[in-house]
Every structure is written in structure tokens, then in C-alpha cells.
Amino acid sequence: MKAGVDRPENETFKISREMQTQSLGGRHLNVLVVDVGGTHIKVLATGQTEPREFPSGPAMTPKRMVAGVKKLTADWKYDVVSMGYPGPVLRNRPVADPHNLAAGWIGFHFGEAFGRPLKFINDAAMQALGSYKGGKLLFLGLGTGLGSAMVVDGVVEPMELGHLPYKKATYEDYVGLRGLEKWGKKKWRRHVADVVARLIAALEPDDVVLGGGNVKKLKELPRGCRAGDNANAFLGGFRLWGQADDRILPSGPAVKEHRRRKEHQDGNTGTNRHQKPGHRAADQTYGLEGSADPL
């Protein structure tokens, strides 16, 4: 299976207006989704089909980010904001500065800066939520670093697998941008295949999505994986506020078949196969209907 799909670049980001339509308490919401990355800040709002972006990098502070987003979206109307953040998130705010951006993100009041209700989520978790088709999903983002998240029965759980020890450093050091630049494409691809195989063996997902800007540099996708779509980060951001026509998604045929085989191999009837994650704070996990944060 090839990682890339030939199609017009702008078609990748086309999300139907029906998929964007949000409602909360009977009120229609226009949502602005902000995807904060190590190399670019990307934005898309309800009613728009083409994203906009501007450069990011080590000098990007939250204040500069907000100013850049406001300038770029001055002609867009939005009621609420979803933000995907490249780092750990707790209680709707970052708990650590991102590895690839400037400091100052902890304690910054994003909702006040935007002047809108805001939901903050790990960027990989936002892409995972947008990629979800059912069952138990593992999402791995091959970008500046290694993003990771799981979705189990519609509940997304952000993870920080990229910073776990691997060989002489961490997973991120081998399969992130630093690893690509250090090892070259050929060795980097081998590292990606090895890391993905290890994580699949450990976590036993039904479905595996590889996203991020560097997935297109793979000649072939590792076995059992499908390529993510850049639009999924935005779709995940829309889903955070309650997808009006997209809250309950059926498991696709591939997911069902994988689960059936796994249950047969394990001698498991499947009754207790997918338990909900442990008791975590409501703002640490997000379902397809969004978090419980009030407007």
C-alpha cells in the first residue's frame, strides 16, 4: 500500500459543510480550528474549505501565535475555538512547553486572548479523533516529533509515546524530523517500521493511522497501517464541539474483520474486549460529542 495518493493538494482539506455543522444546546456554532505545529500553524473555520497557514518554529510564542491566527482569520466569523497543541494537556491547558517551539505556553490564557470559548487538546489526539472509524485506534504522527494518541470506543486518550526510551535515545529522536535528518530516508524508514511494529505489538489496536507531514516520505506503509489525511486534524477540532451529524460512527469492515480474527485467536468472545479507559478527569479525555466543558 502506497503512502501517498495523487490528488490536488486543496482536495485533501475539503471537509463538507455538513461535517462542519455544530450545535450545542440548540445553538449553531461556527468553530475555528487551530493546529499548532513545529513548522506551521494551520487554521480552518466552519464554512471554509481551504485552510490557511503561517510559519512556526523555535521562536513561536503563544502571543505571536494568537496574533498570527487573528490576522490570518480576520475575515472569518467564529464563535468558539479548538486548538491542537504539540505537548501534554490537562484541564484544558498545556502542562509543558512544546519541545519545538518557544517557552511561555504554560499559564497563557488562550481563551481570553482569542475572546472566545476554547477547547485545548493534544494535536495528535485531535488528529486521532478526526481519523476515528470505530474500535480501538492507534494514531502516530510523523512530523517534527512523534505524536501519539489512542481512541477506544469513541473516547480519545492523548499519549506521549515519542519520549519513551528507544535504542540510545527516544522514539522521537529516531522517527521524528531529527531522526530523518540524521539517518537519511533509508534508515529512517527502517526505524519507522520497527517503532510502529513494536507499538502495535504492545497496544494491540484494531486500526492504525500514520499521519503527519513526513508520512509521504515512506515508500510503503508498515503492515496493518493506513495513511492519515491532513483534513483529519480539522475534523477532530470540529468534533470537539459536538458533531451534529457524525457522533456515532460504525466500525469499518477492516476493523470488524481484524477484531473477529483477534478474538478467535485469543479465545475471547469480545464481550469485555474494549473497556473504557480508567477514571480520568473529564478534561483529559474527549469523546466524539466533545468534552464536558461548558460554554
Side-chain angles (χ1 to χ4, degrees), residues 175-218:
V175 302
L177 183 60
R178 290 189 298 273
L180 178 59
E181 293 173 344
K182 179 178 180 179
W183 304 105
K185 280 187 183 180
K186 192 172 182 179
K187 286 188 177 179
W188 175 80
R189 288 167 179 161
R190 289 204 297 265
H191 291 315
V192 170
D194 182 54
V195 167
V196 170
R198 287 170 182 257
L199 294 177
I200 289 176
L203 299 170
E204 297 186 313
D206 297 317
D207 190 16
V208 182
V209 173
L210 297 186
N214 289 330
V215 71
K216 62 182 178 290
K217 292 181 171 64
L218 296 172

Side-chain angles (χ1 to χ4, degrees), residues 94 149 235:
L235 180 54

Side-chain angles (χ1 to χ4, degrees), residues 129-157:
L129 193 59
S131 304
Y132 186 65
K133 293 183 177 180
K136 182 179 179 182
L137 168 73
L138 170 63
F139 174 86
L140 298 172
L142 301 173
T144 307
L146 175 64
S148 56
M150 293 196 76
V151 187
V152 182
D153 292 342
V155 178
V156 62
E157 182 69 23

Side-chain angles (χ1 to χ4, degrees), residues 6-276:
D6 293 327
R7 54 183 162 184
E9 185 175 350
N10 60 354
E11 190 175 331
T12 301
F13 294 92
K14 285 186 178 178
I15 301 175
S16 71
R17 297 192 180 187
E18 289 77 14
M19 294 174 76
Q20 295 178 11
T21 302
Q22 314 296 317
S23 64
L24 194 63
R27 177 190 171 200
H28 172 80
L29 295 176
N30 291 320
V31 182
L32 172 66
V33 182
V34 181
D35 186 12
V36 179
T39 55
H40 292 90
I41 309 292
K42 302 176 183 179
V43 296
L44 186 69
T46 303
Q48 305 297 322
T49 57
E50 298 291 337
R52 298 174 181 176
E53 64 178 47
F54 60 95
S56 183
M60 181 58 64
T61 64
K63 187 175 181 180
R64 288 182 179 177
M65 182 275 297
V66 172
V69 170
K70 283 185 172 181
K71 182 178 179 180
L72 201 61
T73 62
D75 59 330
W76 289 356
K77 293 182 179 180
Y78 54 93
D79 304 303
V80 295
V81 179
S82 292
M83 185 174 296
Y85 175 75
V89 174
L90 180 64
R91 298 188 181 91
N92 212 38
R93 63 192 63 181
V95 294
D97 283 324
H99 287 266
N100 303 300
L101 302 177
W105 297 75
I106 302 174
F108 187 84
H109 298 289
F110 293 92
E112 291 181 11
F114 277 104
R116 304 285 194 284
L118 181 143
K119 289 186 179 181
F120 214 86
I121 186 173
N122 171 265
D123 59 344
M126 191 165 76
Q127 283 208 45
L129 193 59
S131 304
Y132 186 65
K133 293 183 177 180
K136 182 179 179 182
L137 168 73
L138 170 63
F139 174 86
L140 298 172
L142 301 173
T144 307
L146 175 64
S148 56
M150 293 196 76
V151 187
V152 182
D153 292 342
V155 178
V156 62
E157 182 69 23
M159 306 177 80
E160 291 293 326
L161 300 175
H163 306 302
L164 293 176
Y166 175 70
K167 295 184 183 286
K168 296 181 179 180
T170 67
Y171 284 124
E172 184 170 278
D173 290 313
Y174 281 83
V175 302
L177 183 60
R178 290 189 298 273
L180 178 59
E181 293 173 344
K182 179 178 180 179
W183 304 105
K185 280 187 183 180
K186 192 172 182 179
K187 286 188 177 179
W188 175 80
R189 288 167 179 161
R190 289 204 297 265
H191 291 315
V192 170
D194 182 54
V195 167
V196 170
R198 287 170 182 257
L199 294 177
I200 289 176
L203 299 170
E204 297 186 313
D206 297 317
D207 190 16
V208 182
V209 173
L210 297 186
N214 289 330
V215 71
K216 62 182 178 290
K217 292 181 171 64
L218 296 172
K219 272 190 175 181
E220 294 182 348
L221 292 177
R223 186 176 180 180
C225 299
R226 60 183 171 97
D229 191 304
N230 290 327
N232 289 338
F234 297 118
L235 180 54
F238 292 130
R239 284 179 173 174
L240 277 179
W241 288 96
Q243 190 67 49
D245 61 351
D246 195 17
R247 295 187 181 185
I248 301 175
L249 299 177
S251 297
V255 174
K256 290 180 178 178
E257 176 63 14
H258 180 97
R259 185 184 299 163
R260 186 191 66 77
R261 291 180 180 178
K262 187 69 180 173
E263 289 169 354
H264 178 73
Q265 292 170 359
D266 295 343
N268 191 328
T269 63
T271 303
N272 299 313
R273 186 152 151 62
H274 296 299
Q275 298 292 338
K276 296 287 185 183

